[in-house]
């Protein structure tokens, strides 16, 4: 949830000057209503039992490879996604075609999301580093490169429903926010205070709010989507970090 401008949920303190997530087996379902003799009854029962046991064995054999393949697919897709975003300076150098390619890979990874209810998961807690976004307000592409934040972080605490965005050099601005769950994947975000240079608090304007959906979450990677369509990809760097109340 790299939180952005008031209109796109990607606002940071430096933007104040702007201002600114059965198929059935028919053979097992059909039973005759009349048996000719005990032997035929016994044979049918034996056959059915054997078939049932075979089906149970097949189910076990087919389930585990599918489960393992899902984890394998996620690992390969994560590698593909990280390779795809690597050349783009967190997204600042990505053109529309590049953005589309990254988005397609991200959507494939979202389909194998191992955390179906991220707002109920401790995996969401901690400090995350933004490694890619399509949000131009976060990337500050309107500024000369030497005036852009070199690294952006975001921290979330699920238990207190608090979030914090932090810029690094050269301004070290921050913004904190309250989160209100809309479902197990999406939150409404209301920013409360900016901190200029991480020191001077300024109350956020009432319009500084939005929504964010967390679409992928595991121990080391998070993908979120803003209410204006922006994509955010973050990596975990500090699980113990706590957002100020």
């Amino acid at each position: 949830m790299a939180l952005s401008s008031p209109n796109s949920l990607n606002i940071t303190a430096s933007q104040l000057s702007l201002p600114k997530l059965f198929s059935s087996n028919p053979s097992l379902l059909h039973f005759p209503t009349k048996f000719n003799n005990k032997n035929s009854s016994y044979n049918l029962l034996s056959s059915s039992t054997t078939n049932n046991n075979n089906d149970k064995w097949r189910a076990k054999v087919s389930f585990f490879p599918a489960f393992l393949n899902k984890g394998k697919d996620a690992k390969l897709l994560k590698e593909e996604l990280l390779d795809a975003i690597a050349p783009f300076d967190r997204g600042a150098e990505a053109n529309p075609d590049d953005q589309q390619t990254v988005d397609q890979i991200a959507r494939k990874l979202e389909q194998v999301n191992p955390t179906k209810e991220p707002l109920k998961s401790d995996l969401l807690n901690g400090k995350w580093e933004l490694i890619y976004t399509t949000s131009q307000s976060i990337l500050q592409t309107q500024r000369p490169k030497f005036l852009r934040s070199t690294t952006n972080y975001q921290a979330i605490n699920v238990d207190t429903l608090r979030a914090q965005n932090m810029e690094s050099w050269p301004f070290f601005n921050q913004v904190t926010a309250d989160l209100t769950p809309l479902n197990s994947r999406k939150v409404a975000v209301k920013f409360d205070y900016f901190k200029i240079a991480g020191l001077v608090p300024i109350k956020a304007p009432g319009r500084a709010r939005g929504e964010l959906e967390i679409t992928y979450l595991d121990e080391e990677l998070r993908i979120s989507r803003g209410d204006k369509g922006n994509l955010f990809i973050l990596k975990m760097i500090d699980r113990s970090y706590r957002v100020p109340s």
Side-chain angles (χ1 to χ4, degrees), residues 166-181:
M166 295 158 277
E167 295 179 354
S168 61
W169 174 268
F171 298 111
F172 300 98
N173 296 319
Q174 300 179 16
V175 62
T176 51
D178 288 321
L179 307 177
T180 302

Side-chain angles (χ1 to χ4, degrees), residues 132-151:
Y132 176 88
T133 183
T134 56
S135 169
Q136 300 306 301
S137 59
I138 289 268
L139 294 170
Q140 304 169 347
T141 50
Q142 77 282 2
R143 298 181 182 180
K145 195 166 185 177
F146 69 93
L147 291 179
R148 301 175 191 173
S149 174
T150 55
T151 311

Side-chain angles (χ1 to χ4, degrees), residues 32-51:
T33 57
K34 184 177 181 181
F35 303 111
N36 292 328
N37 53 50
K38 292 183 179 180
N39 289 335
S40 61
S41 175
Y42 173 80
N43 290 336
L44 179 61
L45 180 60
S46 299
S47 174
S48 177
T49 302
T50 301
N51 286 340

Side-chain angles (χ1 to χ4, degrees), residues 110-127:
E110 289 166 340
Q111 291 175 3
V112 292
N113 179 18
T115 310
K116 302 305 180 184
E117 298 183 316
L119 291 177
K120 298 180 180 180
S121 174
D122 289 338
L123 292 177
L124 193 56
N125 289 324
K127 187 176 181 180

